[in-house]
């Protein structure tokens, strides 16, 4: 079989290397081979490159991917929503698969906590067949049982990748915070965006996860939204997405100053909801102080382990806070995200988030651009 190219992480904190691997001679039943159209550079990829999650190397990074079907394995005929699939269709997919049989999958209905769960662009070595299990490559192999979603013709690829995994992460987090019992039976529907009856929500972080969380909470009925972050160009995007107020961390550099500004903007009490979207441990204590008494604090930004923090749990008790965590997403969240993107292209222009484009051989430059906060969203165009 012919070879194709991929940008490979072989060593933490080192440049990616362009490598060649053979394409699979035959697909497994239920598998698919996809020609990559666009791959997003996620902040998680930066954390992985730094070695902040215990993964095996070498790996093809990339879990935010859109491509066109090159070949379908026997028995794979429909996407997750039941639509017919054929070669040439533009698709995306959930980047992790769960076993469907374990305690968390069957009894607790929280498949994101499945101990057998593995993620494309994170959990598969690329020096072993079928090799093509990450987005930074000309082709992507989709294993059997991958949940595939066909992309509607009126939804641009830039919007899907501009939203990336950030939007499905935000939708899942809001669901956990708003739905009393978030565990759902397979296929059981929930509102795309549960209502969040809050007067004020604060978003810590103006990167892709923060912008996605902003869009979700505005659509969920929040009265006032405040985004805390930087640099200036990212805060401008937040204002474009409807943030009522932005606080630049370069201007309000002390945590106590930012907490005081939140209290002033929220009428003196603090925010009903604060959502952490930074991935830096130091902001967590600050974010809890931004909450009003009896408020809610949602941690979305710590997919990777960025280290511990010094924290006084008395804050949670004293303020009577509810603290939530949310890990990854499920197929229904990606379907909800695609529907949301189609319906809200004018108020929430996720396509405009794609600001920097790189060829496959520029994978390391794309990663550095994201790491240095130089882009709203960097992407690879492998083909």
């Amino acid at each position: 079989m012919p070879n194709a190219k991929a940008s490979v992480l072989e060593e933490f904190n080192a440049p990616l290397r362009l490598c060649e691997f053979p394409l699979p001679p035959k697909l497994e039943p239920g598998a698919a081979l996809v020609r990559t159209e666009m791959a997003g550079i996620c902040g998680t990829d930066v954390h992985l490159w730094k070695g902040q999650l215990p993964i095996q190397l070498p790996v093809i990074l990339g879990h935010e991917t859109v491509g066109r079907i090159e070949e379908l394995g026997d028995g794979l005929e429909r996407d997750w929503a039941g639509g017919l699939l054929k070669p040439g269709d533009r698709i995306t997919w959930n980047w992790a698969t769960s076993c469907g049989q374990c305690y968390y999958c069957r009894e607790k209905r929280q498949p994101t906590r499945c101990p057998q769960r593995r993620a494309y662009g994170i959990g598969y070595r690329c020096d072993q067949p079928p090799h093509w299990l990450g987005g930074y490559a000309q082709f992507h192999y989709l294993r059997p049982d991958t949940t595939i979603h066909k992309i509607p013709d009126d939804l641009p690829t830039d919007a899907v990748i501009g939203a990336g995994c950030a939007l499905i992460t935000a939708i899942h987090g809001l669901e956990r915070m708003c739905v009393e019992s978030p565990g759902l039976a397979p296929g059981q529907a929930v509102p795309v965006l549960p209502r969040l009856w809050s007067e004020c929500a604060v978003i810590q972080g103006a990167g892709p996860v923060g912008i996605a969380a902003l869009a979700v909470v505005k659509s969920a009925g929040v009265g006032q939204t405040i985004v805390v972050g930087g640099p200036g160009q990212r805060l401008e995007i937040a204002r474009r997405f409807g943030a009522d107020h932005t606080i630049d961390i370069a201007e309000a550099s002390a945590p106590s100053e930012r907490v005081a500004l939140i209290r002033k903007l929220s009428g003196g009490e603090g925010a009903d909801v604060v959502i952490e979207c930074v991935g830096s441990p130091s902001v967590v204590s600050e974010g809890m102080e931004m909450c009003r008494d009896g408020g809610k604090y949602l941690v979305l930004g710590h997919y990777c382990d960025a280290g511990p923090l010094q924290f006084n749990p008395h804050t949670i008790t004293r303020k009577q806070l509810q603290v939530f965590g949310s890990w990854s997403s499920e197929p229904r969240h990606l379907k909800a995200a695609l529907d949301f993107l189609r319906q809200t292209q004018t108020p929430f222009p996720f396509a405009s988030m794609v600001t920097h484009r790189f060829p496959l051989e520029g994978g390391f430059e794309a990663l550095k651009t994201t790491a240095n906060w130089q882009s709203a969203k960097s992407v690879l165009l492998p083909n």
Side-chain angles (χ1 to χ4, degrees):
M1 291 296 293
N3 288 355
K5 295 178 180 179
S7 188
V8 177
L9 174 63
E10 296 181 318
E11 182 182 348
F12 297 123
N13 293 296
L16 306 185
R17 191 166 77 88
L18 200 63
C19 300
E20 290 192 3
F21 300 103
L23 294 174
K26 182 175 175 59
L27 302 189
E28 303 168 84
L33 184 65
V34 178
R35 183 183 294 269
T36 306
E37 186 172 293
M38 183 181 288
I41 313 297
C42 178
T44 296
D45 296 340
V46 175
H47 292 295
L48 294 170
W49 174 72
K50 292 179 178 179
Q52 292 177 345
L53 198 68
I55 62 172
Q56 294 187 15
L57 302 181
V59 65
I60 299 172
L61 294 173
H63 55 271
E64 304 173 330
T65 316
V66 167
R68 292 191 180 270
I69 295 173
E70 188 82 1
E71 184 181 353
L72 293 170
D74 292 343
L76 180 56
E77 299 176 349
R78 297 181 181 274
D79 72 354
W80 185 78
L84 286 171
L85 294 174
K86 64 182 184 305
D89 282 344
R90 187 170 55 112
I91 62 169
T92 189
W93 50 90
N94 287 90
W95 50 280
T97 56
S98 304
C99 75
Q101 303 298 320
C102 69
Y103 171 76
Y104 284 104
C105 287
R106 291 180 67 88
E107 292 193 34
K108 291 304 175 184
R109 295 171 182 169
Q110 295 188 36
T112 58
R113 300 311 311 132
C114 171
Q116 304 303 316
R117 188 172 173 88
R118 297 183 74 183
Y120 292 123
I122 299 173
Y124 295 98
R125 295 176 63 108
C126 64
D127 57 351
Q128 303 167 353
H131 306 296
W132 305 96
L133 299 171
Y136 295 13
Q138 292 180 309
F139 289 88
H140 201 301
Y141 189 88
L142 300 183
R143 289 183 172 275
D145 297 324
T146 299
T147 47
I148 295 171
H149 301 257
K150 190 156 61 171
I151 300 173
D153 291 339
D154 60 352
L155 182 57
T157 294
D158 280 22
V160 178
I161 298 299
C165 71
L167 182 57
I168 55 177
T169 297
I171 290 173
H172 185 206
L174 186 69
E175 177 189 285
R176 288 191 57 78
M177 191 166 56
C178 294
V179 179
E180 186 172 341
S181 180
L184 298 169
Q188 183 178 346
V190 296
V192 172
L193 295 174
R195 301 302 292 173
L196 188 60
W197 302 114
S198 301
E199 295 180 4
C200 178
V202 170
I203 313 297
Q204 290 180 284
V209 177
I211 297 300
L214 170 64
V216 170
V217 298
K218 285 193 70 68
S219 298
V222 170
Q224 179 183 221
T225 53
I226 307 169
V227 175
V228 182
Q233 65 266 26
R234 286 189 166 184
L235 294 176
E236 176 56 39
I237 293 172
R239 289 189 287 272
R240 197 187 316 155
F241 273 66
D244 297 297
H245 303 280
T246 58
I247 297 174
D248 192 331
I249 58 174
E251 297 174 1
S253 57
S256 59
E257 185 179 0
R258 296 191 287 266
V259 171
L261 284 170
I262 294 298
R263 291 190 178 279
K264 179 180 179 180
L265 291 170
S266 61
E269 298 297 333
D272 301 284
V273 172
V274 178
I275 305 178
E276 181 278 319
C277 304
V278 180
S280 174
S282 63
V283 307
V284 173
S285 296
E286 175 184 342
M288 289 187 181
E289 290 294 348
M290 291 175 175
C291 292
R292 66 163 172 81
D293 289 2
K296 297 180 178 182
Y297 190 70
L298 172 63
V299 180
L300 286 184
H302 281 78
Y303 182 81
C304 293
D305 186 353
L309 76 157
Q310 204 167 20
F311 170 66
N312 186 351
H314 173 65
T315 302
I316 297 174
T317 305
R318 171 176 57 83
K319 295 176 71 69
Q320 201 164 284
L321 299 181
Q322 296 182 69
V323 181
F324 299 85
S326 182
W327 179 265
S328 189
S329 61
E330 300 174 38
R332 70 174 184 275
H333 301 126
L334 180 50
K335 177 64 168 65
L338 294 173
D339 292 343
F340 178 79
L341 289 170
R342 287 186 74 192
Q343 297 162 8
T344 62
Q345 293 187 55
T346 299
F348 305 127
F350 278 98
S352 69
M353 293 284 287
V354 178
T355 56
H356 290 65
R357 302 168 192 265
F358 297 85
L360 184 61
E361 56 269 25
F364 185 51
E365 289 301 315
L367 200 62
K368 289 193 294 182
T369 300
T370 299
N372 295 332
W373 293 10
Q374 294 173 295
S375 63
K377 187 73 176 184
S378 299
V379 300
L380 291 181
L381 304 173
N383 288 295

